[in-house]
Amino acid sequence: MTLLRQGYGRASKNIVKNYNPKIIERKWQQYWAESPELFAADNKSGKEKFYCLDMFPYPSGDGLHVGHVEGYTASDIYSRYMRMKGYNVLHPMGWDAFGLPAENYAIKTGVHPDKSTQQNIKNFTRQIKSLGLSYDWSREIDTSSLDYYKWTQWFFLFLYKNGLAYRKKAKVNWCESCKTVLANEQVENGICERCKNEVIQKDMEQWFFRITDFAEDLIKGLDKVDWPESTKVAQKNWIGKSVGTVIKFPILMKAQPSSKRTLDLRQRGEYIKVFTTRLDTIFGCTYCVIAPENELIEKLKDSVGNYKEVEKYLIKAKKKTELQRTDLAKEKTGVEMKGIQAINPFTDESVPVYVADYVLSTYGTGAVMAVPAHDERDWEFAKKYDLPVKKVIVPPALVCIPRNLEDIAAGARAEIRVESECYTEDGDLINSGKYSEMTSEKARREMAKWLEKKKLGKKTVTFKLRDWLISRQRYWGAPIPMIYCEKCGWQPVPEKDLPILLPKVKDYRPKGTSPLGTNPDFVRAECPKCKGEARRETDTMDTFVCSSWYFFRFADPKNTKEFAAEDKIKKWLPVDLYIGGAEHTVLHLLYARFFTKVLRKHGQIDFDEPFSKLRHQGIVVAEDGRKMSKSLENVINPDEIVREYGADVLRLYEMFMGPLEDSKSWNTKSIVGLKRFLDKAWSLQSRYFGGGILKAENNDKQLEVIINKLIKKVTEDIEDLKFNTAISELMIAVNEARDLVLKYTISEKTRIYFIENYFKLLSPFAPHIAEELWSQLGHKRSIFLEKWPEYDPKLIVESEKIIIIQINGKVRDQIKIRVGTSDVEVKKIAEAQDKIRKYIEGKKIKKTIYVKDKLINFVI
RNA sequence: GCCGAAGUGGUGGAAUUGGCAUACACGCGAGACUUAAAAUCUCGUGGAGUUUUCUCCUUGUGGGUUCGAGUCCCACCUUCGGCACCA
């Protein structure tokens, strides 16, 4: 073929005619494996660091999902780019190997979790390596390995010593199918996050981490980080801060259920404490409600006339699952505590007291003042039990004259709301003594002042967040390093005795108590304090404890003295770019931030947010638009795509599908487009390049412009993580260049200049083909040791611009003008165009708008 | 119900600050090459009309601001995600 050019480097001796991913991908993966220094993070280098992290996977038996590939490719592109930019990049990978998924898989297959986990890790490693991802494998970590979970246990002790780990008996979430307790974050609408079975409440003594101590910090820190807004908002909502008041309602009760004599419990210091954010509505309080779990019930039971009835209700409420209790569709239920009255401190009126399970024991004080006129839940309850409704808030008066119809409409709506009798917004007070006519806001302030003076109430901040329940009655996790002694109580395992080895047990299936308890050698222990006989804690830790600190370990993964050395943490942390799924919004991301804040508070580190920049990869759904799942048989296995098209094509395809954070549907048919693209890129070094057919004129300049513009665009797009448009620019450039080169003669120098830069730009996206083409040009060093190209600003400035001509905003024509042509001249040229003359002839031009280098618009 | 994100051709999607809507890719149609198919290459491809280097319409719906709106404002509809009796 006459167009075939040879004679460049190794290509001359070793012509590779067609792009064959199978051969070159194997070849370069092997090369990279033999040159680990290429992608290793350098502890000693003085170059600026960049820590680019993926959420590490749990090595499930299903192998890698195309969703993994998406996130990992994105972070790989960015890491390769940053290395070429001259940064010292830390890009590690590891295994979140402990936990329910691994364990459930082991149970299903009958293979011991230790063994199956190692098998799965092997498979994941093979798959990840087949994608050509540039991880620093020397830092690989495995949370189920001894030298890792030793430090997970150390963290437990660290929290314990600082009063942040404690044991308490509480109503906890229990999954009957997983046979373990769960954290609140692991229960979704009363359903177990893992197995999707119903979760029930149980009273159990368990280990907790005091994450609520950091609620305020966890909210504040979100303002400092570059995270998706939706994730920040979701975390804030989860933490659920509200500012309100705790008010003490004095209690009146009968001395005996039958007697007429009443006792005021103020002398005993007993009050019904309620929490409200709407203190301004207190004159409308017509009854009080306490949660079935409120301990006040027990204290008052002797004077409750209908205690039998109350008790029945309590038992019924206790039986309900979380799901049943929070079912919004269900009618509210409750029972009055006859003989008990609460006194509204503002009106001195006494109101009845109810027990009802629409009040949660776990939020606020477990009791509320009910204002049916201004709270929908109270309204519903009052209607059902025929309780009085007292209106104390009216919508704010319309002081200004409505400017337009819309304002009037808005006003009209406000009136309608009042008609509906339950008005829940702020407004102006009525029927509220000296507070009447104040705005809600002012009334809250004034009332709070009065309460504080009378010592009957206090401004209080409450959070929805609860402490993190971390113990699990499961086998496959890090044992909790605590020992119980009959004499000395709970004692922490001395640090020198770590790690507490996860014992081998025969039967690791969940049974309701930890399988570790079946191993007597494990349970038997010596009390660290009195050296007497004691027993070990047999529960293991929630797997989220392991993943709450793994990003520190990557800085110093082999350290046997500390979880990570101070100088290494200083060098690498915080994480500069973190990529992972959005499903961890209130789980891992919240816990990891909590751990970071604990370390900061206790002087271990000097920053308080672990992940400076966070991006989520969108969900990849199946072709039919449904979630990929085994039961639907619509799962795409990355291995098959790699086998058929190669890793480079798969990488490009997943990046080209759309914006990183959008969810997108898989379409196998479209993959071929990316294969065609790489075929064209491949052809740059052989078939077309350098032998124009026409050779009509030299056109080096145009090719230089193409590549310089491309450098600019691709660089900017990578910086913004807009990989889909970066790839489209690469496609455009290869098409343009091919057209040019087919028509014109290009000098050798320009040819090399173009393709070398082009391959560099392509390299983060499709590393194998880039490395191959680079080597075919005769280069002995990896392309990934090259500097990222920079564009020449002079070469991207165009000398001519196309100006759009509009008449009344409609495009009618366009003209080409030289840059720098004056406004007046452009106008003249535009008016002179035939098509334009047709429109403006005989008409008066009212206005002319000229946007420099863009358009001219005549208004007639 | 509340909070968040998003609605653009047959499909995935593109579009600095308001300035040529539909880039790039898939698919589809026509043609070239071939005994044939695949691959590859070339051309076409939002809709309607038509006097075909022409006109009108088109970014979920309805209004508005502007010389000019996918982009800004108001109202609504739909989809997805999160939270949900949190007082």
Side-chain angles (χ1 to χ4, degrees), chain A residues 68-84:
Chain A
H68 288 121
V69 178
E70 188 191 9
Y72 299 166
T73 304
S75 66
D76 190 59
I77 291 168
Y78 207 83
S79 297
R80 287 179 186 270
Y81 164 75
M82 290 303 274
R83 284 190 203 102
M84 290 171 87

Side-chain angles (χ1 to χ4, degrees), chain A residues 201-464:
Chain A
Q201 306 323 111
K202 258 193 176 181
D203 273 316
M204 289 175 82
E205 201 178 291
Q206 297 291 318
W207 290 102
F208 291 85
F209 283 167
R210 220 178 279 282
I211 191 171
T212 52
D213 270 17
F214 295 82
E216 191 73 57
D217 284 350
L218 286 166
I219 288 181
K220 273 192 197 142
L222 291 171
D223 294 333
K224 298 181 209 161
V225 291
D226 176 7
W227 283 25
E229 198 54 37
S230 55
T231 304
K232 288 194 200 180
V233 170
Q235 280 213 3
K236 275 184 196 163
N237 289 344
W238 185 262
I239 298 165
K241 178 181 176 175
S242 4
V243 180
T245 316
V246 170
I247 312 160
K248 293 201 250 181
F249 276 58
I251 303 166
L252 279 183
M253 72 172 196
K254 297 204 169 155
Q256 303 285 316
S258 53
S259 87
K260 293 234 162 93
R261 198 163 63 90
T262 55
L263 301 172
D264 189 332
L265 295 193
R266 249 175 286 207
Q267 289 88 341
R268 284 205 229 154
E270 293 287 0
Y271 295 89
I272 295 178
K273 284 187 199 157
V274 306
F275 173 73
T276 183
T277 55
R278 291 300 303 275
L279 183 56
D280 53 310
T281 64
I282 193 163
F283 279 78
C285 167
T286 52
Y287 63 102
C288 282
V289 190
I290 60 179
E293 294 83 4
N294 197 313
E295 55 205 12
L296 215 50
I297 300 171
E298 184 62 27
K299 283 185 189 162
L300 302 173
K301 74 191 234 192
D302 289 341
S303 39
V304 177
N306 58 338
Y307 190 70
K308 275 224 164 81
E309 204 189 331
V310 172
E311 201 173 22
K312 234 167 84 189
Y313 182 77
L314 296 184
I315 292 165
K316 228 168 77 191
K318 206 171 181 181
K319 270 198 196 145
K320 286 187 193 167
T321 66
E322 184 87 341
L323 200 60
Q324 286 165 335
R325 271 184 71 163
T326 56
D327 183 4
L328 286 166
K330 113 192 150 165
E331 243 185 57
K332 296 198 178 2
T333 58
V335 58
E336 186 181 355
M337 295 214 288
K338 295 214 165 105
I340 307 287
Q341 299 270 301
I343 301 169
N344 183 332
F346 281 86
T347 60
D348 279 334
E349 283 167 2
S350 53
V351 294
V353 178
Y354 279 77
V355 180
D357 66 5
Y358 80 88
V359 171
L360 306 175
S361 63
T362 45
Y363 183 76
T365 56
V368 300
M369 62 174 205
V371 186
H374 305 291
D375 181 283
E376 271 171 45
R377 296 152 298 182
D378 298 340
W379 167 254
E380 227 177 276
F381 191 79
K383 248 186 352 193
K384 182 170 172 188
Y385 293 98
D386 204 20
L387 290 154
V389 176
K390 191 178 160 198
K391 196 193 283 185
V392 290
I393 309 280
V394 291
L398 283 175
V399 272
C400 56
I401 297 155
R403 270 179 315 184
N404 54 41
L405 286 170
E406 263 155 3
D407 281 359
I408 294 168
R413 263 197 299 283
E415 288 305 320
I416 291 160
R417 287 194 91 122
V418 181
E419 292 306 312
S420 80
E421 291 185 74
C422 185
Y423 175 75
T424 58
E425 261 139 77
D426 274 11
D428 296 328
L429 274 72
I430 56 166
N431 301 327
S432 299
K434 63 175 179 178
Y435 302 98
S436 292
E437 285 175 34
M438 283 185 192
T439 61
S440 289
E441 208 194 328
K442 187 173 178 202
R444 279 195 288 268
R445 254 194 336 260
E446 295 297 321
M447 288 169 160
K449 253 192 241 166
W450 184 85
L451 275 175
E452 297 230 8
K453 209 169 73 193
K454 294 270 176 188
K455 296 206 161 40
L456 282 171
K458 219 174 160 188
K459 195 179 151 193
T460 310
V461 176
T462 51
F463 296 94
K464 287 199 267 185

Side-chain angles (χ1 to χ4, degrees), chain A residues 49-51 53 90 139 549-556 563-576 596 599 605-607 609-612:
Chain A
K49 71 97 181 178
F50 191 87
Y51 188 174
L53 184 65
L90 172 55
R139 291 172 188 255
W549 69 278
Y550 81 106
F551 46 95
F552 288 108
R553 188 64 177 173
F554 279 132
D556 194 10
F563 71 93
E566 199 184 337
D567 61 321
K568 303 269 170 53
I569 293 174
K570 263 215 166 84
K571 175 151 190 84
W572 295 110
L573 276 287
V575 174
D576 296 285
T596 305
L599 288 174
I605 56 172
D606 60 3
F607 57 94
E609 282 296 331
F611 314 123
S612 306

